[in-house]
Every structure is written in structure tokens, then in C-alpha cells.
């Protein structure tokens, strides 16, 4: 075995990996190199693919010792893949787009998840492209929990779909005239916006039925696990606020431009920098 043989083996098998883009190419090259060094028969092909946002590789050998080595290599690169953007290869994390899991850096995640915008002429835009104008909507349908919406446009068969996972979804829900929704849902929509309360955690007027539509945290109540796990209300609010501040899932970065809810003027941050450092030590 020499360097040229290993390089040929790697080049031959790169195309056997069905992945979404080129961001994992260096990971796959290193995986194949380690396979060769471990003793894999380089005459045999190696196959792999992206599955549930991570890199999967499929091999089998009659040699049990070799199988164990290969398993360790595959596990290693599977773990590395869910920290590597599939598109550009920079640092990434597992994210959900629609119902699909994928591993992306923040920039490419934002490209895949453009923000809903509504301009002064009532054009609904995504990714700087105008989709439709609210004046042309003839009907709007909703899921039972109001978290998904389908819009019908005059003269078009195509439906436009929007989800609560997109910034400004609730702004859109509030902007579309009530008369365009099914009659039995209109009261539910108007009640939602009329009954919103301030969230002591994120500081937006976005609490509906004890849950915040903005930060998605359940509001404090003195029952069950709240008392058992946190003791008192301030501890719970403080921990939730620190989680928002650290923004491990980049949620706040994604929702920076969301205008669905009003900011509460009297909102208070309960944690200090010292408390945050101690909390980070516990987590990491």
C-alpha cells in the first residue's frame, strides 16, 4: 500500500457518498484514508449517505477485529459531521428545516430559512422575493393550533404555506383580514391577539394560554416540577433567561427581525454576569 493507491481509493469512493453538498468532502476523505490504514480491502467499494442530518457509512467485513476498527472510525466521523456544515464545511449544528434535519452553519441555515417580511404595500416577501400581495388572498386555512397556515390566491391553484417556525408568522396571521379565514376560526384568532400577556422571561407581550409564542417557554406556576426543580419563580425565570442569552440553537439570531410581538417596557433581566458564568460551568 502506498500513498498513490490510497489517493486513488479515496477518489474512487467519494462519489459513492450521497450527501447534500460538498461541506463534508474533507470528512469523507479522512474517513476513507483511515479505512485504508485500518486494513480495509481497497478493491471493495465504500458507500455512505446523509441521514437525519448526520453522515452514515455502510461497510462489513468477515474480520471481526477490522469491523470493530471500522465502527470506531464511522462513529468518529458521524459525530464530527453533526458539527460540520454540509454546505461549506465550517462549524455547524443540527437544525430542523420544515420536517427535515440537517447540519448547517448559521449563515447557511438563514439562507435555507428566509424570514417572512410584509412591506408597506402589503407584499409578502421571502429572501427578498415577493411571493404575493395580501390584497390578492381569497382564502386562508389554518391548522387546529394556529401554527400553520395555507393561503389561496385569486387566479392561482398554488397554495402558499407559512409556519410558526418562521419569523413574523404571527405578524402575518394578524395582518391577513379575519374575513378570509373560516368563520369558525375567526374568534380564535382575534382572541389570541386580544389576550396576549407579557412574558417575564423574554420580555415580549406574547404569552397565550400560559405559553410564550415568542420564546416558547412555559410560564411559571406553583405546581408540579416547577417547585420541585426550581424552588421559586425567580430561579426559573433566571435560568430560562440565561438559556435565551446563550442562544445555543441560534434561535434569537434567527428571530432578530421578528416583529410579531411588542416589547414589554418593564421587563427585567434577573441574572448577573457572575451567575451566568457559574451556570455555564454547570452546562459545559
Amino acid at each position: 500500500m502506498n500513498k498513490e493507491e490510497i489517493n486513488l481509493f479515496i477518489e474512487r469512493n467519494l462519489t459513492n457518498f450521497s450527501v447534500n453538498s460538498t461541506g463534508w468532502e474533507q470528512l469523507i476523505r479522512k474517513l476513507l484514508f483511515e479505512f485504508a490504514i485500518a486494513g480495509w480491502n481497497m478493491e471493495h467499494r465504500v458507500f455512505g449517505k446523509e441521514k437525519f442530518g448526520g453522515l452514515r457509512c455502510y461497510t462489513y467485513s468477515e474480520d471481526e477485529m477490522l469491523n470493530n476498527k471500522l465502527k470506531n472510525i464511522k462513529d468518529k466521523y458521524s459525530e464530527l459531521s453533526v458539527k460540520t456544515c454540509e454546505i461549506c464545511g465550517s462549524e455547524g449544528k443540527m437544525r430542523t428545516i420544515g420536517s427535515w434535519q440537517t447540519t448547517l452553519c448559521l449563515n447557511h441555515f438563514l439562507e435555507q430559512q428566509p424570514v417572512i417580511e410584509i412591506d408597506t404595500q402589503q407584499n409578502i416577501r421571502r429572501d427578498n422575493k415577493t411571493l404575493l400581495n395580501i390584497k390578492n388572498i381569497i382564502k386562508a386555512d389554518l391548522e387546529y393550533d394556529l401554527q400553520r397556515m395555507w393561503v389561496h390566491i385569486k387566479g392561482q391553484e398554488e397554495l402558499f404555506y407559512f409556519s410558526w417556525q418562521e419569523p413574523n408568522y404571527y405578524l402575518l396571521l394578524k395582518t391577513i383580514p379575519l374575513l378570509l379565514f373560516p368563520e369558525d376560526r375567526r374568534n380564535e384568532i382575534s382572541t389570541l391577539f386580544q389576550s396576549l400577556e407579557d412574558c417575564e422571561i423574554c420580555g415580549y407581550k406574547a404569552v397565550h394560554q400560559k405559553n410564550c409564542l415568542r420564546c416558547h417557554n412555559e410560564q411559571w406556576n406553583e405546581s408540579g416540577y416547577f417547585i420541585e426543580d426550581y424552588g421559586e419563580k425567580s430561579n426559573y425565570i433566571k435560568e430560562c433567561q440565561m438559556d435565551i442569552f446563550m442562544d445555543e440553537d441560534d434561535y434569537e439570531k434567527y428571530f432578530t427581525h421578528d416583529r410579531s410581538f411588542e416589547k414589554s417596557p418593564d421587563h427585567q433581566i434577573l441574572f448577573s454576569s457572575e451567575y451566568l458564568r457559574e451556570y455555564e460551568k454547570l452546562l459545559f
Side-chain angles (χ1 to χ4, degrees):
M1 181 195 307
N2 57 44
K3 185 176 180 180
E4 185 177 347
E5 289 174 327
I6 294 175
N7 287 338
L8 287 172
F9 163 71
I10 291 171
E11 295 300 328
R12 277 199 311 271
N13 285 279
L14 272 177
T15 55
N16 296 335
F17 283 76
S18 177
V19 292
N20 297 325
S21 190
T22 58
W24 287 348
E25 182 175 321
Q26 290 306 311
L27 291 182
I28 296 169
R29 286 180 177 277
K30 291 175 182 177
L31 177 145
L32 291 169
F33 176 82
E34 291 195 27
F35 269 29
I37 298 301
W40 175 258
N41 185 339
M42 291 191 295
E43 297 299 316
H44 295 167
R45 298 170 74 186
V46 180
F47 294 90
K49 66 179 182 179
E50 180 274 334
K51 185 175 182 180
F52 301 128
L55 179 64
R56 301 289 185 270
C57 181
Y58 304 98
T59 56
Y60 177 74
S61 170
E62 297 291 340
D63 184 334
E64 187 174 342
M65 186 176 294
L66 177 58
N67 264 336
N68 288 333
K69 289 181 182 178
L70 297 179
K71 181 181 183 305
N72 290 335
I73 296 168
K74 289 186 285 187
D75 287 348
K76 171 184 173 181
Y77 285 97
S78 180
E79 289 177 13
L80 287 171
S81 70
V82 296
K83 300 174 184 176
T84 306
C85 178
E86 297 179 37
I87 295 176
C88 67
S90 60
E91 184 178 348
K93 62 176 65 176
M94 186 85 74
R95 307 177 192 273
T96 301
I97 297 178
S99 58
W100 296 97
Q101 287 182 300
T102 183
T103 302
L104 298 171
C105 64
L106 179 61
N107 287 337
H108 283 114
F109 174 61
L110 294 178
E111 284 182 9
Q112 301 276 338
Q113 289 279 81
V115 174
I116 300 168
E117 287 292 351
I118 306 169
D119 67 21
T120 54
Q121 285 77 45
Q122 292 198 305
N123 293 308
I124 302 172
R125 300 167 60 83
R126 274 196 191 120
D127 199 22
N128 296 319
K129 296 176 184 176
T130 300
L131 299 178
L132 60 123
N133 189 284
I134 289 175
K135 296 173 186 175
N136 294 327
I137 298 174
I138 57 173
K139 181 183 176 185
D141 293 319
L142 290 162
E143 261 193 5
Y144 73 94
D145 57 4
L146 305 184
Q147 292 190 343
R148 289 175 179 80
M149 176 171 27
W150 291 265
V151 170
H152 304 249
I153 301 300
K154 182 169 53 182
Q156 292 187 31
E157 291 186 10
E158 179 187 5
L159 299 183
F160 291 89
Y161 166 79
F162 302 95
S163 163
W164 65 275
Q165 296 170 313
E166 301 172 88
N168 290 322
Y169 170 77
Y170 287 101
L171 176 64
L172 178 60
L173 180 60
K174 184 166 48 178
T175 305
I176 293 175
L178 271 179
L179 289 173
L180 297 176
F181 293 97
E183 189 173 351
D184 61 345
R185 308 303 302 276
R186 295 171 192 170
N187 185 60
E188 187 179 358
I189 297 167
S190 59
T191 299
L192 182 151
F193 291 109
Q194 290 168 12
S195 65
L196 290 177
E197 298 177 352
D198 291 345
C199 177
E200 294 180 87
I201 296 167
C202 71
Y204 285 84
K205 190 173 183 178
V207 174
H208 176 63
Q209 296 179 345
K210 304 300 181 184
N211 282 281
C212 182
L213 301 177
R214 176 64 170 72
C215 69
H216 308 298
N217 282 299
E218 186 177 356
Q219 300 303 288
W220 170 266
N221 68 75
E222 296 185 357
S223 63
Y225 77 92
F226 285 97
I227 296 292
E228 187 175 327
D229 288 358
Y230 299 96
E232 59 184 47
K233 181 179 180 179
S234 62
N235 292 333
Y236 175 67
I237 294 174
K238 190 186 301 179
E239 187 166 315
C240 291
Q241 286 181 343
M242 289 189 293
D243 287 336
I244 290 173
F245 180 82
M246 289 188 289
D247 197 19
E248 287 185 69
D249 297 321
D250 293 328
Y251 178 84
E252 287 298 313
K253 295 184 184 74
Y254 179 38
F255 273 75
T256 297
H257 304 293
D258 186 84
R259 298 181 287 115
S260 298
F261 308 105
E262 298 173 18
K263 186 76 175 172
S264 306
D266 300 324
H267 180 239
Q268 293 183 337
I269 299 296
L270 300 187
F271 67 88
S272 65
S273 56
E274 292 79 9
Y275 203 99
L276 180 63
R277 283 195 293 271
E278 291 303 315
Y279 186 60
E280 288 177 323
K281 288 177 187 176
L282 290 175
L283 292 179
F284 306 115

